[in-house]
Amino acid sequence: LMVVQFFLNRWGADITTGCTVRMELSKKKNAQDGMDQLFQRLGGLDGVMAMVDRLYECVGVDKRVSNFFEGAKTHAIKRSVTDFLIMTLGGPAEYRGRSIEDSHAVIQITDYHFDCYMQNAGRAMRDVGAEQDAVDEVTVVLEPLRKQVLARHYKENS
């Protein structure tokens, strides 16, 4: 245990700094090049749809979050998420579903679950061929949605 703590203490700051630098570079690239370039680098409509297909395969077997993605409404949720991501990542779709707060208000999710979902999203993007810098840029775009997704949780636990 002391060996693990030694390594975590020694490299923890470097890991955090490296992540922060990558995220800042991604923010700058998105601001500079525009979201449509990110959408195209992800493979356009086909690429984002493949990523969402892979994402739902990943969350479906991830015991940490799979219970949120079961049942009859899974197909409709997946379709809404696909439209939302296409729009959010600079594509031509227009999301017309419920607000993020409303659609997540009925489920008991926490920061832990959001982190798990984001890990699965990163994995899904890499699995369908996205470069790490594109994964970082998508993370920068989606991370600010945490407050909306977890609005109920934050309200109940503040």
Side-chain angles (χ1 to χ4, degrees):
L1 181 61
M2 290 181 62
V3 172
V4 172
Q5 288 175 335
F6 169 77
F7 286 112
L8 286 177
N9 289 337
R10 183 171 179 169
W11 291 311
D14 290 340
I15 292 169
T16 301
T17 300
C19 180
T20 302
V21 168
R22 284 188 12 237
M23 293 301 121
E24 287 302 318
L25 289 171
S26 295
K27 282 182 194 176
K28 184 176 180 181
K29 184 159 181 58
N30 282 342
Q32 183 178 3
D33 296 345
M35 291 305 297
D36 58 335
Q37 62 77 30
L38 176 57
F39 180 74
Q40 292 308 319
R41 287 182 31 237
L42 291 169
L45 287 172
D46 291 339
V48 173
M49 290 178 6
M51 185 268 290
V52 173
D53 286 342
R54 180 65 184 131
L55 171 59
Y56 276 77
E57 290 171 4
C58 293
V59 297
V61 296
D62 185 340
K63 292 183 187 334
R64 302 171 300 173
V65 294
S66 61
N67 60 309
F68 299 116
F69 300 97
E70 297 174 341
K73 293 186 178 184
T74 302
H75 182 71
I77 293 168
K78 184 178 168 184
R79 186 178 39 231
S80 291
V81 168
T82 302
D83 288 345
F84 181 80
L85 287 176
I86 290 169
M87 179 194 72
T88 303
L89 298 174
E94 185 175 327
Y95 175 72
R96 297 176 188 201
R98 295 185 301 163
S99 73
I100 293 174
E101 293 91 345
D102 288 347
S103 60
H104 292 88
V106 296
I107 51 179
Q108 298 286 329
I109 56 175
T110 65
D111 283 292
Y112 172 77
H113 301 114
F114 187 88
D115 290 342
C116 294
Y117 186 85
M118 292 296 288
Q119 287 173 352
N120 281 296
R123 176 182 174 192
M125 285 182 275
R126 287 187 298 275
D127 286 355
V128 298
E131 298 291 327
Q132 185 60 48
D133 63 333
V135 173
D136 291 346
E137 290 173 51
V138 171
T139 301
V140 164
V141 171
L142 298 181
E143 180 60 36
L145 300 174
R146 177 185 298 266
K147 290 179 184 175
Q148 296 170 10
V149 170
L150 299 175
R152 175 185 174 192
H153 170 72
Y154 291 149
K155 183 178 179 183
E156 290 177 352
N157 294 290
S158 60

